[in-house]
Amino acid sequence: MAFKVLALLALAACPMVLAQQYGQYGHGQQVEQYVSEPHYAYEYAVHDEHTKDIHSHKESRKGDRTEGEYSLVEPDGTIRTVKYHVDGKSGFIAEVIRSGHAVHAPAVVAKPVVAYKPVVAAYKPIVAAAPVYHAAPVYQHAAPAYHAAPAATSYVQNGHNSQYNRHY
């Protein structure tokens, strides 16, 4: 239980220690952090006739103000251009412009379906050869030497066969 209390106190003290050390460098010297104002500009374009991948994008930023534009060729042949800007906390404001005329592929006219004509062939029965049966193999073993069985004996008592003349 004591370990839990110590761990809880150590976690509570961490933000205070970090707050004391923030902004200090070395032996108590204050260092000002310099945050530069963002400033950039770029532009690129792709024009590939083989794959019909045609698009471009350009953007510039200075501080909180960002302006840009991108365009692409739609599958129907029109060009979609999006112009946008962001000014401080106004959010992303875009204007979409479509130019050109849509060009659709010509309609494919289906050809009439040819009626099904079954192929009639002369009937030729498939005759399979009759299976060939072979005689079972004959195994010849040397007969073991057995002694002749004893002759059948019957037990007759008093002239009667006791096996059949039982009185129950």
Side-chain angles (χ1 to χ4, degrees):
M1 182 69 182
F3 176 73
K4 290 181 182 179
V5 172
L6 288 175
L8 186 60
L9 289 174
L11 286 175
C14 284
M16 289 185 275
V17 172
L18 291 175
Q20 291 173 358
Q21 292 180 355
Y22 181 76
Q24 295 180 355
Y25 179 76
H27 302 287
Q29 297 175 351
Q30 291 282 340
V31 176
E32 293 183 29
Q33 293 185 357
Y34 178 73
V35 178
S36 66
E37 182 177 281
H39 182 68
Y40 64 86
Y42 71 90
E43 182 174 345
Y44 73 90
V46 174
H47 190 91
D48 187 0
E49 284 294 331
H50 179 71
T51 62
K52 303 299 182 201
D53 184 15
I54 302 169
H55 63 276
S56 64
H57 187 194
K58 63 181 176 179
E59 182 176 288
S60 63
R61 179 176 180 183
K62 185 168 185 180
D64 290 338
R65 176 101 176 134
T66 304
E67 292 182 357
E69 169 182 325
Y70 64 90
S71 67
L72 58 107
V73 177
E74 297 279 358
D76 64 357
T78 60
I79 299 172
R80 179 179 10 152
T81 304
V82 178
K83 295 181 180 184
Y84 61 90
H85 69 273
V86 178
D87 191 10
K89 296 182 181 180
S90 67
F92 185 84
I93 300 172
E95 176 186 5
V96 180
I97 303 164
R98 293 190 71 155
S99 59
H101 297 288
V103 177
H104 299 285
V108 177
V109 178
K111 295 180 181 178
V113 178
V114 178
Y116 172 73
K117 295 179 183 177
V119 176
V120 179
Y123 173 71
K124 293 181 182 179
I126 299 174
V127 179
V132 177
Y133 296 101
H134 298 284
V138 177
Y139 296 103
Q140 295 180 358
H141 295 289
Y146 292 112
H147 297 298
T153 58
S154 64
Y155 297 99
V156 177
Q157 293 177 349
N158 300 330
H160 298 285
N161 190 342
S162 62
Q163 183 178 0
Y164 297 109
N165 296 325
R166 290 190 182 156
H167 300 284
Y168 294 105

